[in-house]
Structure formats: C-alpha cells, structure tokens
C-alpha cells in the first residue's frame, strides 16, 4: 500500500462516514476505493464490512433510549439476522474472485436503484407503540435482507428499513433504531466469517476506519448545510460509475 493509496482510502472512509450520516450509501465509496487500490473484489467487500461496523455501533448507541424499550422483543430478529448473515457470508467465501467480480456490476446496479428509491421506501411515521418481532413474513424478509447483507451489503440499510416498515410495529425512529441494532448483528457475523476465511485486508481497514469515524462526525455538520438530495445524487453517481467500471472491465 503506497502513501497515495492510504490517502485515497482515508478520504474515501471520511466521505463514506459523512454520506452515511447524511443519506446513507457509504459502502459504495469504501468498496470502490478499495477496488481502485487493487484489492480483489471479495477482499474489498469483506474489508468494507469491517470499516462500516463502527458507524453501526455509534448509530445504535445514539438510539439507546429507544432500543432499551424493545431489545428483548427483537432478540428473535437478531437470531434470524445472524443466521442470514452467516449464510450470505459463507456463500461469498464459496465464490472465486472472477465469479464474484462478474456479479458485482449487477449487484451495484440493484443496490444503486434501491438506494435511489430510498426516500420512497422509508416507512411513514406510525403510532407510538413498541416495535415487535411481527409475523412469519417479517421474519422471512429479515432473513433475506441479512443474507444480502452478509453477501454484499451495499444498500442493506435502505432495504432493511423498507421491509421493517412493512412488517414491524413502531414509528420511524423505533424502526430505524431496530435497523441499526440488526445491522450490528449482520456485520459482526459476516466479519467473523471473513476474518476466519482470511479475506480481510487489515492495513487498508486500519487506514480507513479513522476516516469513517471522522466523516460520521462531520456528517452532522454537513447535514445542516447540504441538501440530502445532493449527497444522495453523489452516492448514486458513484454506484453507477462503479457498475460501469465493472461492466467494461469484465
């Protein structure tokens, strides 16, 4: 890793943390930067999961007042998320870099479309009652989301918030808190699988994580001054450019 690579990774981490704080989609930036510095797609994907974990933790802590009222009822969803993430991450490790690389542009297109549709997928504010585990359909939807999160992850937050809004009880903030809590479970399980599989690039992750943390803090300042539509448009453009890159490079 050269000095210029380290600078690029740090800046991408900063932009990722800021984007997540304002509109989401930071995974596009971390994954893209790591592929640009030469990491194989599977390694870039696994390492990106590591860099995003601190943001999930801090976001969950920020919602602790809400979470402490429903965390016991959400344990089943946590367990479902763990099994889904385990399945998704094991599927990823079962692929070769060329086969995963062939899937990446399609995954990026799907995740970018999902992210772009995010404002229309957000659940409306509901009644002030406790979030619950919900129906069998809700459990299956969470399992599918967790499989996707363990396998790739970009756009997972938007997908999860949308499915939780359709299948779980609670207002928007409680659902967002639940989403953050489940994101930690998915990320931790996936990271454990990726670490055991030896596909995490730790030097690159160590350079990027402080940037993500600082960007998340700066994102609060950005959120007050830059319209979310501008940040969302930037992230969508990055996703489309990455998809185009992988389509053309093969």
């Amino acid at each position: 890793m050269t000095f210029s690579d380290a600078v690029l990774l740090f800046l991408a981490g900063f932009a990722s943390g800021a984007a997540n704080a304002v509109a989401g989609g930071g995974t596009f930036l971390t994954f893209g930067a790591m592929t640009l510095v030469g990491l194989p797609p599977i390694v870039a994907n696994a390492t990106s999961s590591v860099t995003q974990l601190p943001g999930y933790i801090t976001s969950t802590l920020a919602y602790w007042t809400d979470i402490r009222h429903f965390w016991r009822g959400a344990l089943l969803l946590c367990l479902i998320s763990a099994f889904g993430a385990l399945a998704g991450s094991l599927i990823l490790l079962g692929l070769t870099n060329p086969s995963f690389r062939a899937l990446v542009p399609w995954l990026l297109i799907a995740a970018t479309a999902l992210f772009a549709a995010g404002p229309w997928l957000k659940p409306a504010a509901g009644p002030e009652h406790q979030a619950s585990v919900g129906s069998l359909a809700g459990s299956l939807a969470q399992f599918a989301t967790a499989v996707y999160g363990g396998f790739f992850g970009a756009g997972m937050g938007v997908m999860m918030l949308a499915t939780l809004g359709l299948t779980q009880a609670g207002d928007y903030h409680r659902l967002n808190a639940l989403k953050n809590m489940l994101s930690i479970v998915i990320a931790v399980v996936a990271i454990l699988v990726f670490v055991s599989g030896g596909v995490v690039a730790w030097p690159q992750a160590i350079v990027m994580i402080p940037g993500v943390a600082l960007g998340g803090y700066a994102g609060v300042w950005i959120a007050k001054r830059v319209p979310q539509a501008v940040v969302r448009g930037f992230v969508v453009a990055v996703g489309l450019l990455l998809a185009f890159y992988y389509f053309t490079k093969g």
Side-chain angles (χ1 to χ4, degrees):
M1 181 172 55
T2 65
F3 177 76
S4 60
D5 287 346
V7 171
L8 174 63
L9 291 173
F10 179 86
L11 293 176
F14 182 90
S16 170
N20 282 337
V22 178
T27 305
F28 291 115
L29 305 176
T30 53
F31 177 79
M34 282 184 279
T35 57
L36 287 177
V37 300
L39 291 181
I42 289 178
V43 175
N45 184 48
T47 307
S48 187
S49 298
V50 174
T51 65
Q52 297 301 317
L53 178 60
Y56 295 148
I57 293 174
T58 54
S59 297
T60 300
L61 291 175
Y63 271 116
W64 180 247
T65 302
D66 297 279
I67 290 172
R68 65 188 180 89
H69 293 301
F70 66 73
W71 69 270
R72 290 181 181 85
L75 289 179
L76 177 58
L77 283 181
C78 288
L79 184 62
I80 291 170
S81 298
F83 280 110
L86 179 63
S89 53
L90 288 175
I91 291 171
L92 178 68
L93 289 189
L95 298 177
T96 63
N97 273 297
S99 58
F100 180 64
R101 187 182 181 91
L103 290 174
V104 164
W106 299 103
L107 290 169
L108 286 169
I109 287 290
T112 302
L114 185 67
F115 180 75
W120 295 274
L121 295 175
K122 286 183 179 180
E128 292 284 345
H129 59 270
Q130 183 170 311
S132 60
V133 171
S135 63
L136 175 62
S139 299
L140 293 175
Q142 182 56 33
F143 179 79
T145 303
V147 171
Y148 173 82
F151 182 76
F152 190 53
M156 176 186 71
V158 175
M159 181 189 300
M160 200 186 314
L161 197 57
T163 56
L164 290 175
L166 293 173
T167 61
Q168 306 300 319
D171 66 10
Y172 172 74
H173 291 293
R174 289 174 186 263
L175 294 174
N176 200 33
L178 179 59
K179 180 261 294 181
N180 291 333
M181 178 181 176
L182 297 175
S183 293
I184 290 180
V185 175
I186 293 169
V188 167
V189 171
I191 288 169
L192 289 175
V193 173
F194 296 150
V195 169
S196 66
V199 292
V200 176
W202 288 110
Q204 287 81 358
I206 290 170
V207 168
M208 193 170 277
I209 287 173
V212 174
L214 290 173
Y217 183 82
V220 177
W221 184 90
I222 295 171
K224 296 177 180 179
R225 293 164 176 82
V226 179
Q228 286 198 14
V230 174
V231 179
R232 185 171 293 275
F234 170 74
V235 174
V236 168
V238 170
L240 292 176
L241 286 172
L242 285 173
F244 177 78
Y245 170 82
Y246 277 103
F247 272 125
T248 55
K249 295 294 183 181

